[in-house]
């Protein structure tokens, strides 16, 4: 019988880390794994904290990829953007799956520590707001939540005023010679995007001439993927909240399920959905 402790194939494994960086050092695991600080002694609060922390980490990656994709599109490097946007979709799947884990929390369990949250709420996630801003959904009232933190507020304000992913895509349509309403190209990017006939006509031409506009066609489908999965995330969020707290007001003061149902009706890239009826 082979002694696995003396397996000659593993003689190269490093074991001396007195002066070398370890896996734990690289990932800063001591700080990461000590960041879960329940405010109650209830067993399930650990689940609640970890799910939300993990989701924030995934959102950090989503923002990293979307912001890089915007820059790549501006620079005409669509192939690079496709890889980044494909990664966003895969990451979104992870966040959606997280709701399945959180939904193991029952109303009776959550009520045992809910009061400890005070007015803290996922509604206040500034990374989620940055994702919305980067996709063109700009809401000025949300900025007020973050005024107590100048660094975060400035970051949000810059994203609020900046062109988003869809703006970059529309500019790519214009560079390809597809006529776009100049008011859309020069619009105030702090305003929520609204559907425009010239943009829809341009996308329709792309879908009707796939061979001629293959890269733009692929870009459009990447955008549809992201919106599709974001709406799935929103739906699973809404159903998980409804399953755990019903129609109670959220800890942050929102209407809870009512608010989450309302945002399901919003479209980030409306023309890409409208044209499906017309093709």
């Amino acid at each position: 019988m082979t002694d696995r402790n003396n397996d000659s194939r593993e003689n190269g494994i490093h074991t001396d880390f007195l002066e070398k960086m370890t896996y734990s050092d690289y990932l800063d695991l001591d700080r990461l794994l000590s960041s879960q600080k329940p405010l109650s002694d209830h067993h399930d609060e650990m689940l609640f904290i970890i799910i939300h922390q993990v989701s924030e980490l995934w959102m950090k990656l989503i923002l990293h990829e979307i912001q890089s994709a915007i820059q790549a599109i501006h620079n005409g490097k669509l192939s690079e953007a496709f890889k980044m946007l494909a990664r966003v979709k895969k990451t979104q799947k992870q966040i959606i799956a997280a709701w399945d884990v959180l939904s193991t929390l029952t109303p009776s369990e959550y009520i045992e520590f809910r009061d400890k949250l005070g007015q803290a709420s996922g509604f206040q996630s500034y990374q989620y707001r940055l994702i919305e801003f980067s996709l063109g959904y700009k809401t000025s009232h949300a900025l007020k939540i973050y005024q107590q933190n100048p660094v975060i507020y400035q970051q949000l304000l810059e994203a609020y005023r900046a062109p988003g992913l869809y703006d970059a895509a529309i500019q790519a349509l214009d560079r390809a010679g597809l006529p776009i309403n100049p008011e859309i190209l020069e619009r105030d990017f702090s305003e929520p995007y609204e559907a425009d006939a010239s943009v829809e006509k341009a996308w329709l031409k792309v879908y009707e001439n796939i061979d001629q506009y293959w890269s733009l066609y692929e870009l459009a489908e990447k955008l549809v993927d992201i919106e599709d999965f974001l709406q799935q995330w929103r739906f699973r969020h809404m159903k998980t909240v409804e399953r755990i707290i019903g129609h109670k007001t959220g800890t942050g003061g929102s209407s809870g399920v009512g608010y989450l149902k309302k945002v399901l009706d919003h479209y980030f890239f409306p023309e890409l959905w409208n044209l499906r009826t017309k093709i």
Side-chain angles (χ1 to χ4, degrees):
M1 183 174 179
T2 302
D3 183 351
R4 295 187 179 183
N5 291 326
N6 293 306
D7 191 334
S8 60
R9 294 172 298 177
E10 305 299 342
N11 287 338
I13 290 179
H14 296 286
T15 58
D16 180 5
F17 288 96
L18 291 176
E19 298 180 358
K20 298 175 184 176
M21 180 177 67
T22 66
Y23 170 83
S24 179
D25 296 332
Y26 176 68
L27 296 178
D28 200 5
L29 286 183
D30 288 346
R31 183 167 59 165
L32 181 65
L33 298 179
S34 62
S35 294
Q36 296 73 46
K37 298 179 174 63
L39 299 178
S40 74
D41 59 1
H42 196 278
H43 173 81
D44 293 313
E45 190 180 357
M46 183 65 75
L47 160 70
F48 191 81
I49 292 171
I50 288 176
I51 286 293
H52 287 86
Q53 288 182 338
V54 168
S55 294
E56 289 291 336
L57 285 172
W58 283 129
M59 282 192 276
K60 183 173 184 176
L61 179 58
I62 287 172
L63 283 166
H64 175 70
E65 299 297 341
I66 289 178
Q67 290 162 358
S68 296
I70 290 172
Q71 193 59 49
I73 295 169
H74 280 316
N75 293 335
K77 299 179 179 179
L78 295 186
S79 295
E80 290 184 15
F82 297 156
K83 175 64 181 295
M84 297 163 187
L85 296 178
R87 184 174 292 160
V88 169
K89 183 179 77 169
K90 294 292 187 180
T91 309
Q92 287 175 298
K93 287 184 177 182
Q94 300 300 316
I95 295 184
I96 293 168
W99 293 120
D100 292 335
V101 183
L102 187 59
S103 65
T104 63
L105 182 68
T106 70
S108 299
E109 293 161 347
Y110 182 48
I111 200 66
E112 291 293 322
F113 63 86
R114 188 180 190 232
D115 287 346
K116 296 293 185 180
L117 305 181
Q119 295 180 327
S121 165
F123 184 80
Q124 298 149 13
S125 168
Y126 72 88
Q127 288 201 121
Y128 180 72
R129 294 298 171 194
L130 285 169
I131 290 173
E132 286 191 330
F133 287 0
S134 70
L135 298 180
Y137 184 50
K138 309 293 181 73
T139 50
S140 60
H141 71 274
L143 289 171
K144 298 176 182 178
I145 299 172
Y146 311 98
Q147 287 179 329
Q148 83 287 353
N149 189 317
V151 175
I152 292 175
Y153 181 76
Q154 186 61 35
Q155 186 180 0
L156 282 158
L157 193 60
E158 290 175 4
Y160 177 72
R161 293 170 175 167
L165 178 61
Y166 198 44
D167 295 304
I170 292 171
Q171 290 165 10
L173 291 172
D174 179 66
R175 288 196 299 273
L178 294 161
I180 301 295
N181 179 358
E183 292 182 1
I184 294 298
L185 297 171
E186 300 168 6
R187 73 186 189 88
D188 179 356
F189 297 115
S190 68
E191 295 292 328
Y193 179 80
E194 294 185 3
D196 179 84
S198 69
V199 174
E200 183 172 317
K201 186 176 180 180
W203 282 126
L204 187 60
K205 187 170 183 179
V206 168
Y207 274 76
E208 290 175 341
N209 299 273
I210 293 174
D211 291 340
Q212 182 180 355
Y213 298 107
W214 178 260
S215 292
L216 291 172
Y217 171 71
E218 190 171 358
L219 174 60
E221 285 299 295
K222 289 287 188 292
L223 296 178
V224 171
D225 282 344
I226 287 173
E227 176 151 1
D228 186 353
F229 280 91
L230 184 60
Q231 292 294 57
Q232 289 184 48
W233 183 91
R234 282 175 160 179
F235 179 78
R236 289 297 297 126
H237 185 187
M238 182 268 293
K239 293 307 292 184
T240 302
V241 170
E242 185 176 20
R243 175 172 178 157
I244 296 174
I245 68 168
H247 290 264
K248 293 186 182 76
T249 299
T251 51
S254 74
S255 58
V257 169
Y259 170 80
L260 296 172
K261 282 184 177 179
K262 182 174 64 176
V263 297
L264 283 173
D265 293 330
H266 174 262
Y267 284 91
F268 292 93
F269 317 131
E271 296 90 350
L272 291 176
W273 297 94
N274 293 342
L275 67 80
R276 280 158 162 72
T277 306
K278 299 180 179 180
I279 292 177

